[in-house]
Amino acid sequence: MVLGVKIILERMKIMQQKRILTGDRTTGRLHLGHYAGSLQNRVRLQDEYDTFILLADVQALTTHFETPELVETNIYEVAIDNLAVGLDPERVTLIQQSAVPAIAELTVFYSMLVSVNVLRHNPTIKTEAKQYGYDELTYGFLGYPVSQTADITFCGADVVPVGEDQLPHMELTRKIARRFNALYGGGQEMIKVPEAMVSATPRLPGLDGGAKMGKSAGNAIYLSDDTNTVAAKVNMALTDPGRITRTDKGNPDICVVSQYHKVFGAAQCDEICSACRDGKIGCAACKQRLSMQLDTLLAPIRERRAYYEAHKAMVHELIAAGSEKAAKIGEEKTRLVKAAMHLAL
Ligand code: TRP
Ligand code: SF4
């Protein structure tokens, strides 16, 4: 009896909670850029929101359609990275994107409401196309923000925690949702218009000074990297090139290492930066301090990672159960959507 009441109270709490949906393409393991820009936020938000995490395997295919087996193995890696940073498997819903038919269906319906020109002018699409060296875009790649709109709206997500680069997509999502409601909603918010929540953490550059982590080999520190790998990568990081000897006055504003200190060790950052400016700390010592700081952050993550690696069947079960739950929610949504669009006999 008491247990029954407890379960009902838990359910009521979940029903009152607003829902978050966010996710990652399953193209590779997650790194410190993901951690600073998004994962850290997710862990904090799971206490307050009903949290849905999408393992975006279909979106991964927009760039990796020639290597689907890589996308498949990375479904696990990305799920494990999310659990390793501290997302609670008892509370969060892990979803394999391709296992939710509603996402594919809604993508088709929404595609009527978007002009090709709007997609072609999306700044994130342009940047990514350049990064991948595409001079010709596939329909799927150009249209992935439409599919992302389906990711977010199939479950009526209220809030979407994302990095800044996703804002153009969020704008499109909100536009499509409003358009849909105006056309077919009969005055109702049939498709929830979600809010973006952007991480306050400054963007983390690649270790080589590149704009983004992960695109070129060795410029990213992965959550799964061990102590020696982290130290070796930090040692390679780009510093103020004007500093030749240990006593030269440095400029931390043009140094990647100091930006990492800012994000991962705010407390010691001011002290390190002024020591650098005065020529009182050498780059080797400065890097060593960063490696230690990162190792403290990564140690518990590695430990949880090892646990889930050793319990892969459990991870599989979690994804399967989460995907099944999501598929049901999506089915209900497409039933309503189809009826509103006169597609139900
Ligand atoms: N495009 C996102 C990224 O590259 C990943 C993603 C897919 C996503 N579906 C989403 C993010 C839905 C938020 C909501 O990071
Ligand atoms: Fe960068 Fe630190 Fe060297 Fe200054 S001392 S240039 S902040 S690595």
Side-chain angles (χ1 to χ4, degrees):
M1 180 60 194
V2 176
L3 188 67
V5 171
K6 204 175 152 207
I7 289 170
I8 289 167
L9 285 176
E10 281 289 314
R11 290 233 172 97
M12 278 170 62
K13 194 174 142 212
I14 290 172
M15 277 163 64
Q16 283 166 2
Q17 275 181 334
K18 289 196 167 190
R19 180 170 293 161
I20 270 178
L21 182 133
T22 189
D24 313 284
R25 294 178 192 177
T26 56
T27 52
R29 290 183 172 197
L30 303 184
H31 51 61
L32 283 180
H34 294 111
Y35 184 81
S38 177
L39 299 172
Q40 199 178 15
N41 238 356
R42 291 178 196 177
V43 176
R44 211 166 32 79
L45 292 167
Q46 68 178 336
D47 295 331
E48 207 183 317
Y49 292 89
D50 180 20
T51 300
F52 281 26
I53 303 293
L54 192 75
L55 307 162
D57 56 350
V58 180
Q59 193 177 113
L61 288 177
T62 63
T63 52
H64 288 63
F65 58 89
E66 287 168 314
T67 50
E69 59 290 333
L70 178 148
V71 171
E72 184 185 29
T73 37
N74 280 311
I75 292 172
Y76 286 96
E77 299 294 349
V78 172
I80 290 177
D81 279 331
N82 270 280
L83 295 167
V85 295
L87 285 175
D88 179 358
E90 303 261 333
R91 281 186 290 169
V92 305
T93 305
L94 287 176
I95 305 161
Q96 182 183 5
Q97 188 185 23
S98 62
V100 182
I103 294 177
E105 287 183 83
L106 291 175
T107 301
V108 176
F109 301 148
Y110 292 160
S111 72
M112 317 310 164
L113 310 180
V114 190
S115 93
V116 173
N117 264 336
V118 166
L119 292 169
R120 283 178 44 201
H121 289 121
N122 180 308
T124 298
I125 291 283
K126 282 198 209 167
T127 312
E128 289 176 349
K130 213 180 272 169
Q131 269 168 11
Y132 287 106
Y134 296 155
D135 37 31
E136 187 99 43
L137 301 187
T138 64
Y139 175 52
F141 179 78
L142 182 69
Y144 90 71
V146 183
S147 160
Q148 191 157 311
T149 299
D151 297 342
I152 295 164
T153 56
F154 88 86
C155 63
D158 300 279
V159 179
V160 185
V162 280
E164 218 164 45
D165 60 326
Q166 300 294 302
L167 286 180
H169 303 343
M170 285 307 299
E171 205 181 302
L172 184 80
T173 294
R174 290 164 57 82
K175 234 190 228 166
I176 292 175
R178 284 206 209 93
R179 188 96 204 278
F180 185 98
N181 292 333
L183 283 168
Y184 312 116
Q188 302 227 29
E189 197 187 36
M190 180 171 275
I191 302 300
K192 174 81 68 51
V193 182
E195 302 286 338
M197 188 192 277
V198 183
S199 156
T201 313
R203 188 199 195 93
L204 210 57
L207 290 166
D208 56 2
K212 217 172 168 179
M213 269 205 171
K215 292 292 171 230
S216 43
N219 92 337
I221 293 173
Y222 291 90
L223 299 177
S224 47
D225 281 347
D226 62 25
T227 306
N228 291 338
T229 310
V230 172
K233 285 182 178 174
V234 169
N235 267 335
M236 301 280 289
L238 189 76
T239 58
D240 172 0
R243 267 196 116 192
I244 314 291
T245 68
R246 200 192 155 287
T247 49
D248 288 345
K249 291 191 187 338
N251 179 6
D253 296 341
I254 55 167
C255 173
V256 168
V257 178
S258 84
Q259 293 181 54
Y260 278 58
H261 275 300
K262 207 172 287 166
V263 173
F264 296 108
Q268 56 178 10
C269 185
D270 285 349
E271 172 220 322
I272 285 174
C273 285
S274 52
C276 169
R277 284 204 171 86
D278 297 341
K280 293 217 167 91
I281 183 173
C283 291
C286 181
K287 284 176 165 176
Q288 200 182 0
R289 284 182 68 169
L290 178 63
S291 296
M292 279 164 59
Q293 190 83 26
L294 292 178
D295 215 48
T296 310
L297 171 78
L298 291 175
I301 296 177
R302 261 182 227 130
E303 204 170 299
R304 279 190 293 259
R305 210 175 194 291
Y307 173 83
Y308 288 112
E309 289 269 11
H311 295 81
K312 268 230 167 102
M314 187 182 121
V315 178
H316 178 93
E317 277 308 306
L318 277 171
I319 302 172
S323 303
E324 196 180 320
K325 173 175 149 191
K328 281 209 186 97
I329 293 172
E331 201 180 322
E332 181 69 13
K333 179 63 85 188
T334 45
R335 208 173 47 75
L336 293 172
V337 162
K338 281 181 167 177
M341 294 182 79
H342 298 269
L343 294 169
L345 273 183

